Structure formats: C-alpha cells, structure tokens
Amino acid sequence: MGTTHDNVVGLVLAVSSSVFIGSSFIVKKMGLIKAASNGKRAATGGHSYLFEPFWWLGMISMIGGEIANFAAYAFAPAILVTPLGALSIIFSSVLAHFILKERLHIFGVLGCALCVVGSTTIVLHAPHEKDIHSVKEVWELATEPGFLVYICVVAVAVCVLIFRYVKSHGQKNMMVYIGICSLIGSITVMGVKAVGIALKLTFEGMNQFIFFETWLFTVVVIGCCLTQINYLNKALDTFNTAVVSPVYYVMFTSFTIVASVIMFKEWAKQDASQIATELCGFVTILSGTFLLHRTKDMGNRPSEVHSSSDPLQCPDNTKTPQTSEI
C-alpha cells in the first residue's frame, strides 16, 4: 500500500466503518428480538423496537460507520475503501456466532479467512491517492470523455432496466433490481468521493462550497442514493436476502472499481503485476463473501435452520451488513 498519510487515514476509517456497521446489525437484532417478545414484531408492522435502547444503540453505531465510510473516500482511493466493506460481514458473522448463537460453520470460517486475505492483499498493493487541491479538479476528471462515456452507458442501461424490464422481469429475476442499484451505486460513490474531498478541503481552510460543482455533486449523491435505496428495498423484499446480499456486493463493488479507475485513473501509475495482484485480492474477497453467505446455515441443525428463517426469531431478516451502499 502507498504509505501516504491520506492512505493510512482512509484505511483506518474504512476498517472502523466495517467494525461499527458489522456490530450495528447484531445490536439492532438484539433490540428487535427483545421487542418481539414484548410486543408486535417488526416483520408484521410493529414498532415496539423504537422503545428498545439496544435498537437505538445499533442505529447510532450504523450512522457512525456510514460517516466513517463517507470520510474514508475523501482520503483513500475507492479501490481500497470499497472492497473493505466485506470486513463488516466478517465482524457481524463472528459476533452473531458468539452473541446470538448463530453457529458459524467451518466453511463460514473459511469464507471469513478468504475475505481477510483478499483485503490484506488489496491494502498492501493499493495505489496512491491523487493529490487534489480543489473540487474543480474533480469536476474536470468527471467531465473527461472516458468518464462521460461511462455515465452515458450507465444512464442508458438503467433506463432500459427501469422502463423495459422492471415490470416484466423485476419480480422474477433479481438481476434487474440489483443491476439498477449497482450501476447507480458506482455513480453514487464517485459523487460521495467528490463531496468528501470538498468537505476535507473546506475543513483545511479552502472553502469549496462557493463552487457550484460542489452543490451539483451533492445533488447527484442525494438523487442516486434515493434511487439506489428504493430498488435495493424492492430486491430485498422480493428475493432471498442470503442471495441478494453477496450478488449485490459483487456487482456494486465491481462497477465502483471500474468507475473509479476510469475517473481517477488509479491504475495509471501501477504496473501489470500490481494490478493483477489487486484483482486477485478482489476475487478472493468475492469468493469469501459468497462462501460465507451460501453456507451460513450449514452449521445449524434442521430445527435451527427453520427457526433462523422464521421472522419471529429473526425480526431483522431483511438486513445484512453492506457498504455502500455508499
């Protein structure tokens, strides 16, 4: 990894984000389970969890994690920050094993190990973040022909999916919803990075909010986030979360890395061996994430597997740790 101060700060923030987000789902679930025993559960429209301190503690932890993740993009390249979101899955799985007694099978342990190995590989070979001194520089990068072509391709693909395939295939094929979320998510991350850089420079004494570009990036982030959340909720509500989560992570991370490489040219100063190593690390993380999700119930007895899929036992079964989202 480039040993620049910004890369180190970005790494620490990204790992901290994973810890906060991973633990937030466990704490929230504890609150939801407790609320379900005292009132109507969340899965059937109950809101008794709003009176549970554990649920609020989990929400605070999640918000803290998202803030740390947002800040990480201001310091480190997306190719370093985005894949590290898999660490939140590991942290959540380990805590669930010890606290919620959701047994982690040997293949789950192997999945966690693969995620750690892949993350370490990417961290050790991550490129240096380009020095940016104004949000106008980010705007110049965003308006270069290569990235404009990428934006046009994304816009066309999203429009085709929304207006052509959502009604006819949205309820049958999860790739429709996930494709929309992943494509838009890659633009969201680029916007988040731009706004993060603007905030960083502003705190350093160079006000970036006097430029219209900063506000335009902010509008893009808000609009993309709302659209992304809408279709992600549709995917989670329609299909099995255990399948949606790893597939979405793979597609979202892949498109984000492609967008970041095109816009910020993060591979321009790296040789073929460094790029190949980073790609190997990324594939290793994807393999670990997929293995962890696909085998998460293998360590349970049949009765335990049944109750883990019961909304009463798992009130928050539509939530899984994920980055990124931004």
Side-chain angles (χ1 to χ4, degrees):
M1 182 188 74
T3 55
T4 63
H5 176 264
D6 281 358
N7 262 23
V8 174
V9 172
L11 171 62
V12 172
L13 287 170
V15 174
S16 300
S17 170
S18 295
V19 171
F20 280 116
I21 292 175
S23 60
S24 74
F25 284 92
I26 303 305
V27 179
K28 278 178 61 182
K29 190 167 181 178
M30 290 171 62
L32 287 166
I33 292 174
K34 188 175 180 180
S37 64
N38 298 326
K40 191 176 181 181
R41 67 182 189 268
T44 58
H47 298 91
S48 57
Y49 60 86
L50 294 175
F51 299 98
E52 290 296 332
F54 274 114
W55 187 85
W56 283 107
L57 182 60
M59 283 300 298
I60 292 172
S61 179
M62 176 175 287
I63 292 171
E66 293 295 351
I67 292 174
N69 188 59
F70 181 94
Y73 282 109
F75 291 92
I79 196 173
L80 169 62
V81 176
T82 305
L84 290 181
L87 297 180
S88 65
I89 300 174
I90 297 176
F91 200 71
S92 177
S93 299
V94 172
L95 287 181
H97 176 80
F98 290 105
I99 297 176
L100 300 178
K101 307 304 178 185
E102 297 178 0
R103 296 174 60 191
L104 190 62
H105 190 267
I106 185 63
F107 287 113
V109 175
L110 177 59
C112 291
L114 287 173
C115 288
V116 172
V117 171
S119 299
T120 302
T121 302
I122 289 179
V123 167
L124 293 176
H125 296 85
H128 291 278
E129 177 76 323
K130 181 179 179 180
D131 290 331
I132 295 177
H133 305 288
S134 170
V135 73
K136 285 185 173 292
E137 293 182 31
V138 183
W139 178 257
E140 290 175 1
L141 293 172
T143 53
E144 288 188 355
F147 193 67
L148 288 177
V149 170
Y150 178 80
I151 291 177
C152 290
V153 171
V154 168
V156 171
V158 168
C159 287
V160 170
L161 287 172
I162 291 177
F163 298 109
R164 175 67 177 84
Y165 292 104
V166 163
K167 288 186 177 180
S168 60
H169 295 80
Q171 299 294 315
K172 303 173 185 177
N173 191 332
M174 68 177 181
M175 297 304 291
V176 175
Y177 291 143
I178 294 178
I180 295 171
C181 295
S182 301
L183 287 165
I184 293 178
S186 66
I187 303 299
T188 304
V189 170
M190 297 303 100
V192 165
K193 189 168 180 64
V195 176
I197 291 172
L199 287 170
K200 174 189 170 187
L201 293 173
T202 299
F203 289 142
E204 291 176 351
M206 296 175 284
N207 186 9
Q208 301 297 301
F209 287 88
I210 61 175
F211 304 121
F212 86 93
E213 290 89 349
T214 302
W215 295 104
L216 182 57
F217 281 127
T218 303
V219 171
V220 168
V221 169
I222 294 173
C224 288
C225 278
L226 292 176
T227 306
Q228 190 178 347
I229 290 171
N230 177 48
Y231 285 99
L232 181 57
N233 285 336
K234 289 179 183 292
L236 292 171
D237 188 51
T238 307
F239 303 100
N240 190 331
T241 305
V243 179
V244 171
S245 182
V247 173
Y248 174 60
Y249 174 80
V250 169
M251 291 187 65
F252 167 72
T253 306
S254 299
F255 283 126
T256 298
I257 289 177
V258 170
S260 183
V261 168
I262 294 174
M263 180 172 171
F264 291 96
K265 302 175 178 60
E266 292 166 345
W267 283 347
K269 295 183 179 180
Q270 291 191 296
D271 56 37
S273 64
Q274 290 176 308
I275 295 173
T277 302
E278 290 169 13
L279 290 175
C280 287
F282 177 52
V283 172
T284 303
I285 292 176
L286 299 185
S287 302
T289 302
F290 183 79
L291 185 63
L292 183 60
H293 277 276
R294 293 295 293 173
T295 62
K296 68 175 186 176
D297 289 329
M298 288 181 63
N300 298 329
R301 295 186 295 273
S303 60
E304 293 175 323
V305 173
H306 174 74
S307 60
S308 71
S309 62
D310 184 353
L312 180 60
Q313 300 298 325
C314 186
D316 199 26
N317 65 339
T318 61
K319 302 290 186 182
T320 57
Q322 186 57 45
T323 89
S324 306
E325 314 40 348
I326 300 178

